[in-house]
Amino acid sequence: MKILIIEDNNRLALDMAQFLSDNGFVTEIAGTFREASDKLDIYQYDLVVLDLGLPDGNGLELIQDIKSATPKTSILILTAKDAIEDKVHGLDLGADDYMTKPFHKAELNARIRSLLRRNKFKRSNILQINEIRVDFVAIQAFVNDSPLTLTRKEYDLLLYFMQNPDRLLTKESIAEHLWGDHIDQVDSFDFIYNHIKNLRKKITSAGGKNYIKAMYGMGYKFVTHK
């Protein structure tokens, strides 16, 4: 699951990003309206945590842009305790939930997981394609009823493929999804091949089919039909 944190308080943004990363999410940060707009134009996120009080623009305008471009993206707005009008306006524009500052990180995690269950998977905790099933609340994948022992990156990779069935995913998009803002630390895309090889082996060893097909010179596709 990929989350964009739009927050001009750099310390708070980094704290949230680290906490969410530790809880299994891929996170990116934008500290300004312009930076957020640029990221939203290029990438697609499962959820956006949006502070409405940005230094160079009104966060309310971003809500309309997000919902217009990617209606399935969940939006959790952050507001000050006395910003009642902004909170109500944000919800009217399409935001899915709100939190007032200051807040506990455990509540942030719970709100995010609740939104992802409700909006991304239509109130279901389970994403299933044929014999492969992912419980994204338990952060566990199964082949039929056999649990798979996956690394964090393998789990994120499987979920990314299953969220985009029969769609070509380039190596660049896979790398960016797995590494987020840290993609510049990657020397090559060889690690993608290794993760995919290991993921395939674990799925087939558990009795599943190999759905991950290499598209020569382009990337990979999770093929669900013949």
Side-chain angles (χ1 to χ4, degrees):
M1 294 293 182
K2 190 171 182 181
I3 295 176
L4 176 63
I5 299 170
I6 305 173
E7 168 63 62
D8 66 318
N9 184 324
N10 190 54
R11 183 175 179 179
L12 175 59
L14 290 172
D15 192 34
M16 284 193 290
Q18 183 61 58
F19 173 75
L20 293 174
S21 179
D22 291 343
N23 279 272
F25 297 102
V26 176
T27 61
E28 292 188 4
I29 295 173
T32 65
F33 184 98
R34 182 173 181 177
E35 185 180 3
S37 294
D38 289 344
K39 284 182 176 290
L40 289 165
D41 284 341
I42 299 172
Y43 307 118
Q44 183 171 342
Y45 300 91
D46 297 290
L47 184 139
V48 173
V49 178
L50 172 61
D51 178 18
L52 297 180
L54 298 174
D56 59 336
N58 192 333
L60 292 170
E61 295 179 20
L62 287 174
I63 296 175
Q64 294 175 300
D65 294 342
I66 294 168
K67 287 300 182 180
S68 175
T70 56
K72 291 184 178 180
T73 297
S74 302
I75 301 175
L76 174 63
I77 55 176
L78 304 179
T79 67
K81 285 186 176 180
D82 57 351
I84 297 176
E85 290 186 5
D86 283 347
K87 176 182 66 180
V88 173
H89 194 185
L91 294 173
D92 285 342
L93 290 173
D96 299 280
D97 200 357
Y98 71 91
M99 292 183 65
T100 56
K101 298 180 182 180
F103 52 82
H104 293 288
K105 288 184 285 188
E107 182 184 2
L108 174 67
N109 187 34
R111 293 287 188 96
I112 286 174
R113 293 190 181 278
S114 176
L115 286 178
L116 291 173
R117 285 198 302 271
R118 186 176 72 201
N119 296 343
K120 188 67 178 182
F121 297 106
K122 299 179 181 178
R123 300 184 183 272
S124 173
N125 297 339
I126 304 298
L127 175 62
Q128 183 159 359
I129 295 179
N130 299 332
E131 73 275 15
I132 302 176
R133 182 174 84 255
V134 174
D135 184 330
F136 67 91
V137 174
I139 314 180
Q140 178 65 62
F142 302 83
V143 171
N144 295 317
D145 292 321
S146 299
L148 296 177
T149 303
L150 304 177
T151 66
R152 159 80 178 279
K153 294 298 185 193
E154 290 166 359
Y155 173 85
D156 288 342
L157 181 60
L158 175 61
L159 192 56
Y160 188 43
F161 275 124
M162 292 180 66
Q163 287 178 301
N164 295 277
D166 301 308
R167 176 183 173 188
L168 174 66
L169 300 177
T170 65
K171 292 180 180 180
E172 291 81 3
S173 69
I174 294 172
E176 194 279 332
H177 181 82
L178 293 180
W179 286 87
D181 283 338
H182 303 290
I183 187 61
D184 58 342
Q185 300 175 15
V186 177
D187 295 329
S188 72
F189 293 141
D190 291 344
F191 75 94
I192 295 177
Y193 171 76
N194 291 327
H195 283 318
I196 289 177
K197 180 179 69 174
N198 293 335
L199 180 58
R200 283 171 171 160
K201 183 176 180 180
K202 291 179 180 181
I203 291 174
T204 56
S205 295
K209 295 180 180 179
N210 174 28
Y211 295 101
I212 305 172
K213 306 298 182 183
M215 311 300 290
Y216 184 74
M218 295 184 288
Y220 295 88
K221 184 181 290 189
F222 193 88
V223 180
T224 61
H225 59 280
K226 294 183 179 180

